[in-house]
Amino acid sequence: MNFGIIAAGDGSRLAGEGVEKPKPLLELCGTPMIGRLLDILDRVGAERIAVIVNERMPEVARYLEELAPRFGDRLSVTVKSTPSSMHSFHEICGSLRDCGKYVVTTVDTIFREEDFRRYIEAWENAADDVDGMMAVTTFVDDEKPLWVETGDGMDIVAFRDTPWSEARYVSGGIYGLRPEAAVVLDDCVEQGVERMRNYQRALVAAGQRLQAFDMGRVMDIDHAPDIKKAELWLESR
């Protein structure tokens, strides 16, 4: 499996709360978040990992340079500031569109490795007519969650900004796609679309068959207290 990591955000909310380190280098259980994520991808058999980092955070690029010999030509790093996470996603997909199936996640998406392995196995074994598999969670701890409506067989029917009476899942920030999805992404960029949720809506509108995969709890690191909450959860069993 091939993977992409979006680590190009500016971490403005954390900086405003007094956190001085760039978000990708914040430690969880003693390891920088981006290092922890790379370790997991390595253990699940990553064939290729494409990473995009913010050019205004050179210490993140230096950290990845130190890790590069361990990964060899499997790891590629793009240092670039982008106007939105969707544009960062576009850069990553440009690096992976010739690799077959791939998975892209953000650096601050926190999950347990065993849950991620279940997701990867499901995506690897998905039916040929499944164009994408999005990780979802019932754990809602986001200021503006993206609600995911599913139909039969966990096929995704819609992405919604607000919950409804039967709402259950929100996006987990992990995206499994085939190369064909990059065509829709190109169109979104050309049309000035800037939010990942609107790209996912465009995939549904284009007739792509997307499935949801319940990964159990998935957390984001958006605020300073989230770091301790994530550590306590990861260390608990």
Side-chain angles (χ1 to χ4, degrees):
M1 184 64 72
N2 304 286
F3 296 95
I5 301 174
I6 297 174
D10 56 15
S12 57
R13 284 177 291 190
L14 287 166
E17 294 170 358
V19 178
E20 296 181 355
K21 277 188 178 181
K23 183 187 283 190
L25 298 183
L26 293 178
E27 292 191 357
L28 284 180
C29 306
T31 304
M33 284 200 296
I34 195 165
R36 175 183 180 272
L37 185 51
L38 285 168
D39 286 344
I40 292 174
L41 299 186
D42 191 25
R43 287 194 293 267
V44 300
E47 300 172 38
R48 184 174 178 183
I49 306 171
V51 185
I52 181 169
V53 301
N54 194 318
E55 62 187 350
R56 294 189 294 272
M57 296 180 179
E59 51 269 66
V60 179
R62 288 196 296 269
Y63 176 80
L64 292 174
E65 286 177 7
E66 295 173 0
L67 294 182
R70 173 181 153 199
F71 293 90
D73 59 6
R74 291 187 298 151
L75 178 65
S76 61
V77 179
T78 298
V79 181
K80 183 177 182 179
S81 298
T82 61
S84 72
S85 59
M86 201 199 75
H87 286 83
S88 296
F89 195 92
H90 188 244
E91 291 285 338
I92 288 291
C93 291
S95 301
L96 296 174
R97 67 174 66 201
D98 62 342
C99 296
K101 284 182 177 180
Y102 56 87
V103 172
V104 180
T105 184
T106 53
V107 72
D108 62 341
T109 299
I110 310 302
F111 47 80
R112 284 181 169 156
E113 183 173 335
E114 56 266 34
D115 295 327
F116 188 65
R117 286 181 178 274
R118 290 190 300 107
Y119 164 75
I120 295 301
E121 182 179 0
W123 178 218
E124 287 178 333
N125 296 320
D128 291 341
D129 65 341
V130 176
D131 299 299
M133 184 170 287
M134 309 307 192
V136 297
T137 177
T138 57
F139 180 74
V140 184
D141 188 33
D142 195 296
E143 294 172 353
K144 296 180 180 179
L146 176 62
W147 294 88
V148 182
E149 183 178 352
T150 59
D152 295 338
M154 291 292 279
D155 279 6
I156 295 175
V157 176
F159 295 95
R160 302 182 181 276
D161 291 325
T162 56
W164 59 101
S165 59
E166 298 178 355
R168 181 180 181 189
Y169 295 115
V170 297
S171 172
I174 303 172
Y175 317 93
L177 296 168
R178 295 184 186 271
E180 293 78 9
V183 176
V184 178
L185 182 56
D186 291 340
D187 291 341
C188 285
V189 171
E190 290 178 6
Q191 295 166 13
V193 176
E194 293 190 349
R195 302 189 72 188
M196 277 298 301
R197 59 186 59 195
N198 290 330
Y199 165 56
Q200 292 180 85
R201 290 178 177 127
L203 288 172
V204 173
Q208 300 255 321
R209 183 185 176 194
L210 306 179
Q211 286 192 327
F213 182 87
D214 187 348
M215 251 185 68
R217 179 178 288 197
V218 179
M219 299 181 67
D220 287 335
I221 304 296
D222 292 324
H223 298 282
D226 294 340
I227 302 168
K228 189 61 177 178
K229 287 190 335 188
E231 286 183 324
L232 290 173
W233 171 60
L234 291 172
E235 291 173 342
S236 68
R237 282 296 182 270

